[in-house]
């Protein structure tokens, strides 16, 4: 009887120990799962931060990289063109190099390409050839706009310094000389002018305005070329971004 009681009472601890094992296993698994979940959350946060940094890496006043520069190029290009045609209206004798509407028109076309670049959907690592070609073309045209604006500044500065030394007299038209005492001094005839003050004051002011506008536009083109050259054409944000490389790798 005693042996039977011991044999009957002995399985109880074993059943308790077996019943206790699953609970202990569950307690051991929970911290591991929590650690993995925390690691995934941290990775997700880092991915979002990196994506935000890439998205905002080239923004100014809340605008993407090409948008603000293209808008400034269009505004300054239109201003230069309008002022140049006003100068042509004062006197038809002005040469084409002295009324730099050609500089304004060229940069306006460059700005339109900048708007196209901004509207193209951004893909990482240059997955589309169109995106790379437009970026390269925009860089080269910005460099061309820089050179054109510097040439316009050189021509307008030369004529501006001449106007400062003019001595003008009204005959049938306005005739200006650099040195009135020299009989063989070069004279400049401005057709269609009713008063020489239009040359010595109004036209002089327009030349000064052209110098300022073209210098500003040259600086904008230089900044655009610098940003694209610094980032080697491929790693700057342009246009609307669908996703970052980190998110695509997580999806894969």
């Amino acid at each position: 009887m005693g042996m039977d009681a011991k044999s009957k009472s002995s399985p109880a601890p074993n059943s308790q120990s077996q019943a206790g094992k699953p609970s202990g296993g569950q307690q051991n698994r929970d911290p591991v799962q929590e650690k993995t979940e925390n690691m995934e959350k941290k990775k997700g946060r880092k991915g979002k931060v990196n994506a935000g940094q890439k998205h905002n890496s080239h923004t100014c006043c809340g605008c993407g990289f090409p948008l603000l520069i293209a808008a400034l190029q269009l505004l300054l290009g239109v201003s230069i063109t309008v002022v140049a045609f006003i100068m042509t209206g004062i006197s038809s004798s002005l040469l084409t190099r002295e009324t730099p509407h050609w500089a304004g028109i060229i940069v306006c076309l460059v700005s339109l390409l900048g708007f196209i670049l901004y509207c193209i959907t951004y893909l990482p690592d240059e997955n589309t050839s169109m995106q790379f070609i437009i970026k390269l073309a925009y860089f080269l045209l910005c460099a061309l706009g820089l050179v054109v604006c510097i040439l316009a500044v050189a021509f307008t500065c030369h004529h501006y310094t001449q106007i400062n030394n003019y001595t003008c007299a009204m005959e049938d038209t306005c005739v200006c000389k650099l040195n009135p005492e020299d009989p063989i001094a070069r004279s400049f005839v401005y057709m269609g002018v009713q008063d020489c003050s239009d040359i010595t004051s109004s036209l002089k002011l327009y030349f000064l305005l052209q110098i300022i506008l073209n210098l500003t536009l040259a600086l904008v083109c230089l900044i655009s070329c610098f940003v694209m050259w610094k980032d080697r054409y491929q790693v700057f944000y342009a246009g609307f971004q669908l996703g970052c490389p980190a998110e695509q790798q997580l999806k894969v």
Side-chain angles (χ1 to χ4, degrees):
M1 294 295 290
M3 294 295 292
D4 293 334
K6 289 180 180 179
S7 61
K8 289 179 180 179
S9 61
S10 60
N14 292 330
S15 63
Q16 290 178 358
S17 63
Q18 290 176 359
K21 286 181 181 179
S23 62
Q26 291 178 356
Q27 291 177 358
N28 291 331
R29 288 176 186 175
D30 290 337
V32 176
Q33 291 178 355
E34 290 177 357
K35 288 181 180 179
T36 55
E37 290 177 357
N38 291 331
M39 292 294 292
E40 289 178 356
K41 288 180 181 179
K42 289 180 180 179
K43 288 181 180 179
R45 290 175 183 174
K46 288 181 180 179
K48 290 180 181 179
V49 172
N50 291 331
Q53 289 177 353
K54 289 180 181 179
H55 182 80
N56 298 323
S57 58
H58 293 283
T59 57
C60 182
C61 299
C63 300
F65 159 67
L67 181 61
L68 183 61
I69 290 181
L72 288 174
Q73 287 175 340
L74 181 61
L75 178 63
L76 292 171
V78 171
S79 300
I80 289 170
T81 305
V82 170
V83 173
F85 283 118
I86 292 174
M87 294 168 66
T88 305
I90 293 176
S91 176
S92 59
S93 300
L94 292 174
L95 300 177
T96 304
R97 66 183 182 184
E98 297 167 349
T99 55
H101 55 271
W102 38 271
I105 294 173
I106 290 173
V107 180
C108 285
L109 296 176
V110 176
S111 67
L112 295 179
L113 186 60
F115 288 121
I116 294 173
L117 177 61
Y118 179 75
C119 293
I120 289 178
T121 302
Y122 174 77
L123 293 175
D125 301 328
E126 296 294 343
N127 290 331
T128 58
S129 59
M130 181 182 295
Q131 185 180 355
F132 175 75
I133 291 171
I134 293 179
K135 283 182 180 181
L136 183 61
Y138 184 64
F139 172 78
L140 295 176
L141 289 177
C142 284
L144 177 63
L146 174 63
V147 175
V148 167
C149 290
I150 291 174
L151 286 175
V153 170
F155 290 138
T156 51
C157 282
H158 176 67
H159 205 139
Y160 180 77
T161 54
Q162 283 185 338
I163 290 179
N164 288 329
N165 298 322
Y166 274 173
T167 301
C168 299
M170 196 66 191
E171 299 176 359
D172 293 336
T173 58
C174 182
V175 179
C176 299
K177 292 183 179 181
L178 292 174
N179 187 3
E181 297 179 356
D182 189 358
I184 60 173
R186 185 180 177 184
S187 60
F188 300 89
V189 179
Y190 293 94
M191 303 296 295
V193 178
Q194 297 178 356
D195 190 0
C196 287
S197 62
D198 293 337
I199 302 298
T200 57
S201 61
S202 299
L203 190 62
K204 179 181 177 181
L205 180 61
Y206 286 130
F207 274 120
L208 181 60
L209 185 59
Q210 285 283 10
I211 293 170
I212 295 172
L213 290 174
N214 280 281
L215 280 177
T216 306
L217 186 54
L219 182 61
V220 172
C221 292
L222 179 62
I223 291 172
S224 177
C225 292
F226 174 74
V227 172
M228 298 181 74
W229 179 263
K230 180 181 178 182
D231 293 330
R232 299 177 184 178
Y233 317 119
Q234 294 183 356
V235 295
F236 70 88
Y237 169 74
F240 300 102
Q241 188 174 14
L242 291 178
C244 64
E247 292 177 354
Q248 293 180 354
Q249 289 177 1
L250 290 174
K251 290 180 181 179
V252 174

